[in-house]
Amino acid sequence: MELGFIFDLDGVITDTAEYHYQAWKQLADEENIPFTRQDNEALRGVPRRRSLELLLKGRVFPEDKLVEMETRKNNYYQALLENITPGDLLPGVLPFLTEAKVTGIRLGLGSASKNAMTVIRRLGIEPLFDAIGDGYCVVNHKPAPDLFIWVAGRLGLWPTRCFVFEDAEAGVDAAIAGGFHAIGIGPDERVGRAHYILPEGLKTAHIHDFRIT
Ligand code: BG6
Ligand code: MG
């Protein structure tokens, strides 16, 4: 029976959360808004506009200023992405993806980021994916299941035939809402609702652990 693995990008395949933090922090400093690494945790898996709203903590700005701030942050973020190389794949990711691919498992990406294509190209893993869903593909973001359902459709699989690998609470909730098998990457406090948890990430995962009968 055919099987699919759908991966979130940031925090599952590579750790761009640090670059997002640095870019938001630069914007926050310029705007004299306090912003800590702890604050950044709440932005994990959250799309750009909602992230900005969380950073602003209730401060009100006109729409054109919000757009300017999003663009400024994205410019800082894209400059940092220039540093990414295949060496930035998280431990265990490449063997896991490669083994799954040769076994015939269909591979998908489901990322809220509009920069996802740039990141996976810089990581050198674009050819491994049969379907790539990014921040441009659907209107409703995680925790809505739309993006994962979009990717599963491109893989030609029902959600019940796919595992979703996620490090964000909103992503785990999206996978569950869509009827997928949710694999949480990281601490229980964040991904505790997942069906199965990999606290250490993909480096401790074996493809044969993921079967659907
Ligand atoms: C998610 C990240 O993958 O993408 C979030 O976890 C980020 O932190 C979101 O805000 C949107 O990213 P981008 O690149 O479109 O601003
Ligand atoms: Mg993530």
Side-chain angles (χ1 to χ4, degrees):
M1 274 285 254
E2 268 145 357
L3 197 61
F5 286 176
I6 302 175
F7 299 87
D8 172 52
L9 177 63
D10 297 332
V12 172
I13 285 183
T14 189
D15 193 10
T16 37
E18 177 60 24
Y19 290 151
H20 278 296
Y21 167 70
Q22 289 178 21
W24 283 125
K25 178 69 178 157
Q26 186 164 346
L27 175 79
D29 286 352
E30 287 164 0
E31 297 296 325
N32 289 315
I33 295 168
F35 184 68
T36 64
R37 281 179 193 278
Q38 184 62 31
D39 293 333
N40 190 58
E41 279 300 298
L43 275 48
R44 204 176 267 271
V46 175
R48 198 178 305 166
R49 173 55 67 98
R50 181 71 193 127
S51 296
L52 176 62
E53 288 167 1
L54 292 172
L55 179 143
L56 294 177
K57 300 185 189 88
R59 292 169 180 81
V60 177
F61 289 98
E63 176 61 22
D64 58 348
K65 173 73 176 172
L66 295 175
V67 170
E68 184 278 320
M69 286 192 283
E70 281 180 325
T71 307
R72 203 178 344 145
K73 180 269 174 178
N74 195 48
N75 290 340
Y76 297 146
Y77 181 62
Q78 287 182 338
L80 291 166
L81 293 184
E82 303 271 316
N83 301 326
I84 291 188
T85 70
D88 290 304
L89 285 165
L90 284 169
V93 169
L94 193 58
F96 191 78
L97 289 176
T98 313
E99 204 185 338
K101 184 84 185 165
V102 297
T103 313
I105 294 167
R106 296 188 198 165
L107 300 182
L109 189 83
S111 168
S113 174
K114 292 183 169 164
N115 293 292
M117 282 304 285
T118 307
V119 174
I120 64 160
R121 282 184 183 144
R122 292 204 64 90
L123 292 169
I125 55 170
E126 186 193 356
L128 290 173
F129 290 101
D130 302 295
I132 294 172
D134 65 11
Y136 292 103
C137 294
V138 296
V139 172
N140 299 314
H141 292 286
K142 303 167 190 178
D146 303 32
L147 181 62
F148 293 136
I149 291 172
W150 187 93
V151 175
R154 305 272 297 199
L155 293 177
L157 295 171
W158 292 104
T160 49
R161 299 297 312 164
C162 299
F163 289 93
V164 167
F165 297 82
E166 254 294 349
D167 73 310
E169 189 176 13
V172 167
D173 289 346
I176 293 170
F180 294 86
H181 302 270
I183 310 300
I185 300 224
D188 217 45
E189 311 86 79
R190 210 165 64 208
V191 295
R193 281 196 286 278
H195 299 118
Y196 184 72
I197 297 176
L198 294 168
E200 306 285 322
L202 290 172
K203 70 178 176 204
T204 55
H206 303 283
I207 60 159
H208 301 295
D209 297 338
F210 302 97
R211 286 171 197 207
I212 300 168
T213 46

